[in-house]
Amino acid sequence: QQPVQSPQAVILREGEDAVINCSSSKALYSVHWYRQKHGEAPVFLMILLKGGEQKGHDKISASFNEKKQQSSLYLTASQLSYSGTYFCGIRSNDYKLSFGAGTTVTVRA
Amino acid sequence: DTGVSQDPRHKITKRGQNVTFRCDPISEHNRLYWYRQTLGQGPEFLTYFQNEAQLEKSRLLSDRFSAERPKGSFSTLEIQRTEQGDSAMYLCASSFPGSNEKLFFGSGTQLSVL
């Protein structure tokens, strides 16, 4: 079952912050975040495992609330290079990832 | 590390024709996945292999779709009697043991069925 992402799209100016949310109706083993630029393959950003840990990738960080079955991706002091579509992928009790519909981020100068 | 490669990058076919796509995963990766992505959507799981064994196939996948991974190396995805609804980007990804399924995606094959 697909996770639900929100918002669908966000427009930022350079230096602004944004939060992307991902929620699931199923118990989660891990949450993955990927970014896809137009015409390119999705690229791995980070994995969050059960335990509520927070991880970072440059000025992009994420949290995972296992009890609420939710994850949030935080874009801090956004740069032009952050533009793209962000997908969360959830893994339950098997190996496959189920991806959300994505959040399109546009960062403008 | 040459990454995951897919061939062809683009395929245009007429409705009713058969098409086959190839994926070469990163060499030490034992798991291989096929996903399908349409415009404005996230990748949708189709099937995956651990070595040469096909372990799961999506219920959404009709009998017209078949995938193989002979000898646990490259994989092929065949679509028989293509329909316009099959038009999509077909993505291949691979992962290695102990990576918590960190996926490395190929650039995909864009299929257009006319």
Side-chain angles (χ1 to χ4, degrees):
Chain A
Q1 202 164 7
Q2 268 190 318
V4 176
Q5 281 187 242
S6 64
Q8 280 189 308
V10 60
I11 299 174
L12 303 166
R13 291 201 180 275
E14 269 188 299
E16 290 183 339
D17 303 339
V19 180
I20 301 170
N21 298 304
C22 174
S23 63
S24 170
S25 57
K26 293 169 62 172
L28 303 178
Y29 176 78
S30 63
V31 178
H32 300 221
W33 286 96
Y34 289 77
R35 178 171 63 204
Q36 185 176 32
K37 294 187 180 277
H38 184 69
E40 299 179 9
V43 174
F44 171 82
L45 291 176
M46 65 191 79
I47 294 175
L48 298 105
L49 304 177
K50 285 197 298 187
E53 64 180 290
Q54 188 147 350
K55 279 203 162 185
H57 172 89
D58 196 8
K59 288 184 179 172
I60 300 174
S61 61
S63 62
F64 178 22
N65 188 320
E66 180 189 339
K67 286 184 181 177
K68 291 186 178 179
Q69 295 165 189
Q70 292 176 346
S71 177
S72 295
L73 187 74
Y74 305 94
L75 307 181
T76 305
S78 57
Q79 306 168 16
L80 293 175
S81 61
Y82 287 2
S83 292
T85 301
Y86 291 77
F87 295 100
C88 69
I90 59 171
R91 184 183 157 202
S92 297
N93 58 355
D94 54 19
Y95 292 119
K96 70 175 186 289
L97 288 183
S98 298
F99 288 93
T103 297
T104 300
V105 174
T106 304
V107 182
R108 294 181 174 162
Chain B
D1 179 359
T2 57
V4 178
S5 61
Q6 292 188 244
D7 184 67
R9 289 294 307 272
H10 304 274
K11 179 72 178 179
I12 300 173
T13 191
K14 291 183 179 178
R15 192 174 50 189
Q17 298 294 305
N18 299 344
V19 294
T20 300
F21 310 141
R22 177 179 170 124
C23 171
D24 287 89
I26 295 171
S27 58
E28 64 268 24
H29 288 191
N30 68 335
R31 292 200 186 112
L32 185 148
Y33 300 78
W34 284 99
Y35 283 85
R36 175 171 63 190
Q37 187 176 27
T38 53
L39 202 61
Q41 296 297 315
E44 175 190 24
F45 171 78
L46 295 179
T47 187
Y48 88 96
F49 294 83
Q50 180 159 303
N51 299 312
E52 65 276 9
Q54 187 173 17
L55 296 187
E56 189 172 344
K57 189 174 173 181
S58 169
R59 284 171 287 176
L60 300 173
L61 217 56
S62 78
D63 292 342
R64 298 184 295 106
F65 288 71
S66 62
E68 293 183 341
R69 193 183 181 196
K71 302 178 183 177
S73 55
F74 70 92
S75 176
T76 57
L77 178 68
E78 183 184 15
I79 309 174
Q80 296 182 327
R81 304 180 303 282
T82 52
E83 301 172 357
Q84 287 186 325
D86 296 333
S87 296
M89 173 72 80
Y90 290 82
L91 292 166
C92 175
S94 66
S95 68
F96 58 91
S99 69
N100 287 306
E101 302 320 298
K102 172 182 173 181
L103 297 183
F104 293 79
F105 281 91
S107 296
T109 294
Q110 180 66 53
L111 173 66
S112 298
V113 181
L114 304 179

